[in-house]
Amino acid sequence: AAEPGAEGVTSRTLLKMHAWRAALEEVVRVLRPLAPTERLGQGFGRDAADFKTWAVKALHEIMGGEAFMASSAEATAAIERADALTARWARAVAFHALQLALAHVIEGLLAC
């Protein structure tokens, strides 16, 4: 089991939220393809029970209520696709960590 952090939040929860933010960034890219992409901040709460609920709340904050409602059918479809990805968040985090760890080893081998 993970140790709680300073705010009583486990590392597992923080990693899950990181994966959720990455999935939400994909939803924003679908809804605003021409807008400059920017990383979403830590400002969205960790209190949602599932990704769909959390994503709808976050999109209201990002896009504003009226803009979100105008694209709600498209947003719902994008959230559904992203939700399927978030079910495998632990695998994605493990893969990314392994990728980062092995990058230095491979660079060292190629430099020789």
Side-chain angles (χ1 to χ4, degrees), residues 10-31:
T10 64
S11 297
R12 180 177 173 86
T13 301
L14 291 174
L15 290 172
K16 180 174 80 170
M17 293 309 298
H18 179 70
W20 281 16
R21 275 193 307 276
L24 185 64
E25 287 175 11
E26 290 302 314
V27 172
V28 171
R29 282 188 196 104
V30 167
L31 298 177

Side-chain angles (χ1 to χ4, degrees), residues 20-110:
W20 281 16
R21 275 193 307 276
L24 185 64
E25 287 175 11
E26 290 302 314
V27 172
V28 171
R29 282 188 196 104
V30 167
L31 298 177
R32 293 181 170 175
L34 300 178
T37 56
E38 58 185 52
R39 305 241 349 127
L40 300 175
Q42 303 272 345
F44 305 113
R46 300 179 187 100
D47 55 351
D50 63 8
F51 174 76
K52 291 178 188 178
T53 304
W54 179 83
V56 168
K57 181 180 174 185
L59 285 173
H60 273 282
E61 291 181 29
I62 294 168
M63 299 178 69
E66 291 178 24
F68 176 72
M69 293 307 290
S71 64
S72 63
E74 188 178 9
T76 301
I79 290 170
E80 289 290 332
R81 287 190 301 274
D83 186 44
L85 297 174
T86 62
R88 298 184 303 266
W89 70 268
R91 285 184 181 175
V93 169
F95 175 78
H96 183 64
L98 185 61
Q99 183 182 23
L100 289 174
L102 292 177
H104 295 294
V105 173
I106 292 172
E107 279 181 10
L109 291 173
L110 292 175

